[in-house]
Amino acid sequence: MSIFLVHGFRWARNEIRIHVVLQEVDDAAPNNLMCGDSEEAMNENFRELYPGPMANLPPLRFIEPLNPNNEKFKYPSEPYAYVADVVVQSEDVIDVTEAMNKGIRAAQWDAMADLRDIIAKGEKIGWFVVHNGDRFLAQQERLKKDENGADGAEEEADDVAEAQANETQYSKGVSEQVERLQVHERFDRRSDVSEKADKKGGKFKKLFRGDSSNVVPTYSPARPPAIPLAVRSPYTSAWSSTSSNGTLNTNGVIFWPGAALGWEGIVTVDGISYEYLGTGSTTLPTLPNLQPAKPLTVTYDSQYSNFTFAAGPAVVTASFLSSVLPEDLCRTSIPLSYLTTSVRSTDNQTHDVQFYSDVNAAWAASENNVTVQWDLYEGSNKVNGSDAAIRGSSSIYSWLVYLQKPYAFAEEADMALWGNFTYSSSPMGAENFSFQSGSSGDLRYQYIMQHSLQNLLDTDYRPSAAREPVFAYAHDFGGVSSASVRYTIGSVQEPAIRYLTGQGVVPLQPWWKQCYADIHQMIGFHFNDFNATQALAARFESQLRADVNAYYSANMAMGYSNGTQGHNNTDQYGREYIYNPANSYGFLDPQNFSGIAIPDVEEADAYYSIVALSARQVMGAYVLVIPPSSGNGSDANSTATEPLLFQKEISSDGNTNTVDVMYPTMPFLL
């Protein structure tokens, strides 16, 4: 029994037969491409039909999986064959790690992807273990049978039984090892990537391409399992996972327990629309003027998460600011977060630029079968559906989305079942600013084709599963070399919590009501406070970095960097590790494939990364409320000078003010 470790993709048997017949590849046997001159004939045919990809590929192998239980070695054993550019064959043992670590050149990988898209679109490119009855051995044994009669037949039966036994024993170990490696490329081992790695400040900057053809961005200071986006309270807690090579426009946005949230962002440059946020484009038909923006970098600190993308002749930056300002009670009690999206020309030319963004009802309802309702406000004035028009260039427009039948202080899947979800924006100097609510597919298609919305309000209130309602804005800046728009987003609960007092259970209002009259004033202050918040956030961030640097300056023996080692998958202690961007951990122990500490950044940077993300998570876990009055306890005390703080578990079961969460938070609060 032969065992093959192959790098390539599956090619369906029916497609093989059609190709061989239509292309008149007379020397190819479509039921067994390993037979006779089939491989040579197919390679010759491919070089003639597909000269581009084949120019960067070695002679291809066509490996047939043969079920060992398939008596008499009949082909085809399976309804597909493997098209492979790398093949390791053995009758005994294959060192999977050694074979995969040799890597694939980027040009060769891209060529395989191009060929796959031509003949087997949609199939996965990766590493596969293939078991085959070894046609050569089978043919030789048959010849022996013909020459030696019964003795040859007995020998053939013995060989087959032995091969099957060996296959059963060995295949389990190989398959488990490949599965733990997630059967995919060792991107950091590719020679051209290593050669092009930009070593700077002890870090390597490099781009990897995953099995799904997603480009994996560079992360700084390190690659965490998830990136905080809008994280300002237990109910304003949106994240982007980095697992499976994913980023902002492939994995989309999730609520902290993992449920999907609809948040879409598209930038249009010279008529081509680039999706940089969310995965809403997957619901649309294939459009020639719509494509994903190419991820470049992801950076974060204690305040920001910044994503950059290539979009034709421009760079798009999506900057998420959830300020950590623990000493400013008014600002820190606001459960809203900022998104600033900017476009900058890379060729110093002006380009026609538009922005689009929408959110869906999943932010207000965890269940897709409950009816949600929505309103649009200009400032504090509700926009009339029959008179929807843009009145002021500085006006703030806010969508408020809420359950038609709210349940105060109730949750479903850790999401509040009362209050308002809000999404706001402003014209921001655009030549044309528009809004619309309606079905997600209709609005996104409308924007991509027209680059604007129609200022229409959909009043058919419904569950999110019924023609998914979304709430959108569009900005048209015309010909510019740079432009930016701002959005604010969050979930607002009034009152915020129930509290047991000596006079009974009383509802407590959020602390921000001490500072702002109502939700509209709070939204307006927050939106216009962006520059001041930025300055305060920069001050906190500078102090945090200074504190970390001061600690490591005083404790130099504790710091290290393995940057001098080169990117050879060996840390400063000489221990090997695996880098696998498809895995949530990223860096793995090669012995048991468990996650390990980040080995290719300085310890000070790794520590800073943990502290910065921890600060974001702490601030996103609590709410500040007005204490009960000293009277009958039925009202919040409007003269209180200090709030009560309630902290919710946002990494486990969602309980409030439990010791196991409060205790590790104390260093931050102190």
Side-chain angles (χ1 to χ4, degrees):
M1 176 66 65
S2 287
I3 301 170
F4 298 85
L5 178 66
V6 305
H7 176 267
F9 56 87
R10 287 180 175 182
W11 192 13
R13 186 72 57 192
N14 288 341
E15 296 298 325
I16 296 173
R17 291 167 177 155
I18 292 171
H19 183 96
V20 169
V21 172
L22 292 181
Q23 298 300 325
E24 299 181 350
V25 189
D26 296 334
D27 291 334
N31 284 348
N32 182 4
L33 291 178
M34 295 178 70
C35 178
D37 297 326
S38 293
E39 285 190 344
E40 182 179 348
M42 293 301 295
N43 272 281
E44 182 179 349
N45 175 255
F46 278 16
R47 284 191 290 269
E48 180 181 347
L49 292 177
Y50 319 122
M54 293 298 289
N56 291 303
L57 291 172
L60 297 174
R61 296 289 309 277
F62 298 84
I63 304 301
E64 296 280 359
L66 180 60
N67 188 332
N69 296 320
N70 184 15
E71 295 181 359
K72 299 183 180 179
F73 299 92
K74 290 181 179 179
Y75 282 93
S77 174
E78 302 293 342
Y80 52 82
Y82 289 88
V83 181
D85 57 345
V86 176
V87 176
V88 180
Q89 180 179 357
S90 176
E91 304 298 323
D92 184 16
V93 174
I94 296 177
D95 188 331
V96 175
T97 302
E98 178 183 1
M100 296 173 69
N101 275 351
K102 294 180 180 179
I104 309 294
R105 293 181 302 107
Q108 182 174 329
W109 197 101
D110 289 339
M112 280 296 283
D114 291 341
L115 181 62
R116 180 271 316 271
D117 289 343
I118 296 171
I119 67 172
K121 189 173 181 62
E123 289 290 340
K124 173 185 175 181
I125 295 179
W127 291 93
F128 301 89
V129 174
V130 183
H131 307 287
N132 183 278
D134 196 340
R135 66 185 180 88
F136 300 108
L137 176 61
Q139 290 173 349
Q140 292 171 359
E141 295 302 327
R142 289 194 188 95
L143 288 175
K144 288 182 181 179
K145 179 179 178 180
D146 292 340
E147 295 174 356
N148 302 328
D151 291 339
E154 291 176 1
E155 291 175 4
E156 179 182 7
D158 292 341
D159 289 341
V160 170
E162 181 181 359
Q164 291 180 359
N166 291 337
E167 187 275 339
T168 300
Q169 180 179 4
Y170 176 62
S171 64
K172 180 179 179 181
V174 173
S175 298
E176 288 178 351
Q177 187 177 6
V178 173
E179 182 179 0
R180 279 183 286 183
L181 285 171
Q182 298 196 14
V183 203
H184 95 103
E185 312 241 0
R186 308 299 300 284
F187 306 104
D188 53 331
R189 290 288 193 176
R190 293 200 320 228
S191 58
D192 64 322
V193 172
S194 298
E195 292 170 1
K196 294 178 182 178
D198 175 20
K199 182 179 177 184
K200 184 178 180 181
K203 305 178 184 67
F204 285 86
K205 297 183 176 181
K206 46 197 172 291
L207 290 177
F208 301 94
R209 182 177 295 276
D211 289 339
S212 60
S213 299
N214 298 331
V215 174
V216 181
T218 300
Y219 291 89
S220 178
R223 174 185 178 270
I227 304 289
L229 303 179
V231 181
R232 292 294 295 119
S233 79
Y235 304 128
T236 301
S237 189
W239 302 72
S240 178
S241 170
T242 62
S243 65
S244 301
N245 297 330
T247 186
L248 201 59
N249 61 350
T250 54
N251 280 358
V253 180
I254 57 174
F255 189 43
W256 69 261
L261 298 172
W263 195 356
E264 184 71 12
I266 299 172
V267 165
T268 303
V269 182
D270 295 336
I272 304 299
S273 293
Y274 300 89
E275 184 180 45
Y276 69 90
L277 169 61
T279 58
S281 64
T282 59
T283 65
L284 297 174
T286 301
L287 299 173
N289 55 341
L290 173 63
Q291 57 185 268
K294 179 181 178 181
L296 298 176
T297 66
V298 179
T299 61
Y300 58 88
D301 56 27
S302 64
Q303 313 287 328
Y304 290 92
S305 296
N306 298 318
F307 300 75
T308 64
F309 300 84
V315 170
V316 176
T317 300
S319 180
F320 298 84
L321 170 59
S322 298
S323 57
V324 177
L325 306 173
E327 295 182 353
D328 190 322
L329 295 180
C330 284
R331 286 186 171 93
T332 203
S333 67
I334 297 175
L336 304 178
S337 186
Y338 298 99
L339 164 61
T340 302
T341 302
S342 60
V343 171
R344 177 180 55 82
S345 168
T346 57
D347 58 7
N348 296 319
Q349 304 296 314
T350 60
H351 298 276
D352 196 31
V353 173
Q354 294 83 33
F355 297 80
Y356 171 90
S357 184
D358 72 47
V359 291
N360 71 1
W363 292 80
S366 61
E367 297 179 310
N368 61 12
N369 60 349
V370 296
T371 300
V372 293
Q373 197 163 327
W374 51 86
D375 299 304
L376 178 66
Y377 286 83
E378 179 188 6
S380 59
N381 300 312
K382 185 181 293 188
V383 176
N384 190 315
S386 61
D387 185 27
I390 305 300
R391 293 182 175 84
S393 60
S394 61
S395 295
I396 299 170
Y397 290 82
S398 301
W399 291 107
L400 264 61
V401 185
Y402 49 93
L403 290 178
Q404 195 172 72
K405 295 181 179 180
Y407 300 90
F409 308 115
E411 291 183 347
E412 180 66 38
D414 291 298
M415 182 170 287
L417 299 183
W418 83 105
N420 294 280
F421 165 71
T422 175
Y423 194 46
S424 304
S425 192
S426 181
M428 300 285 293
E431 290 183 359
N432 180 54
F433 171 73
S434 53
F435 54 77
Q436 192 170 347
S437 58
S439 170
S440 60
D442 293 344
L443 266 61
R444 292 164 189 164
Y445 184 83
Q446 156 76 22
Y447 169 78
I448 291 167
M449 303 309 294
Q450 302 296 327
H451 307 150
S452 65
L453 298 172
Q454 298 177 331
N455 296 342
L456 297 177
L457 303 182
D458 181 355
T459 57
D460 178 19
Y461 306 128
R462 57 190 183 273
S464 59
R467 294 182 297 107
E468 181 189 27
V470 298
F471 317 99
Y473 299 108
H475 297 73
D476 185 350
F477 285 87
V480 293
S481 59
S482 64
S484 66
V485 297
R486 184 188 314 148
Y487 311 94
T488 63
I489 191 169
S491 183
V492 182
Q493 281 68 46
E494 303 176 69
I497 197 168
R498 287 186 299 184
Y499 188 64
L500 180 62
T501 71
Q503 289 76 34
V505 176
V506 297
L508 300 183
Q509 295 294 332
W511 184 261
W512 60 260
K513 296 204 73 173
Q514 290 276 76
C515 314
Y516 320 105
D518 57 26
I519 185 173
H520 302 292
Q521 189 180 101
M522 184 261 288
I523 291 172
F525 172 85
H526 179 261
F527 193 95
N528 292 321
D529 190 52
F530 180 70
N531 292 336
T533 294
Q534 276 191 311
L536 293 170
R539 189 181 307 165
F540 182 96
E541 169 63 16
S542 296
Q543 185 62 54
L544 178 64
R545 284 188 178 272
D547 291 345
V548 172
N549 291 337
Y551 176 79
Y552 277 93
S553 296
N555 298 273
M556 291 300 295
M558 295 184 63
Y560 67 82
S561 170
N562 71 340
T564 56
Q565 299 290 327
H567 194 71
N568 59 359
N569 283 10
T570 303
D571 69 12
Q572 80 281 7
Y573 300 116
R575 296 178 301 202
E576 291 188 351
Y577 65 88
I578 295 170
Y579 178 68
N580 181 345
N583 186 282
S584 294
Y585 290 104
F587 297 92
L588 307 176
D589 184 330
Q591 301 302 316
N592 57 20
F593 303 97
S594 61
I596 62 171
I598 301 168
D600 65 347
V601 298
E602 293 182 359
E603 183 177 320
D605 286 340
Y607 181 75
Y608 166 78
S609 174
I610 294 172
V611 172
L613 291 174
S614 297
R616 304 280 291 274
Q617 189 164 9
V618 168
M619 295 298 291
Y622 69 67
V623 295
L624 300 179
V625 299
I626 304 172
S629 66
S630 57
N632 60 21
S634 60
D635 298 319
N637 183 2
S638 61
T639 62
T641 58
E642 291 186 351
L644 295 180
L645 181 151
F646 293 93
Q647 187 172 12
K648 184 179 174 68
E649 294 183 357
I650 61 166
S651 58
S652 55
D653 58 6
N655 291 335
T656 300
N657 277 11
T658 52
V659 174
D660 58 324
V661 174
M662 295 175 65
Y663 179 79
T665 306
M666 286 300 114
F668 176 86
L669 298 177
L670 295 175

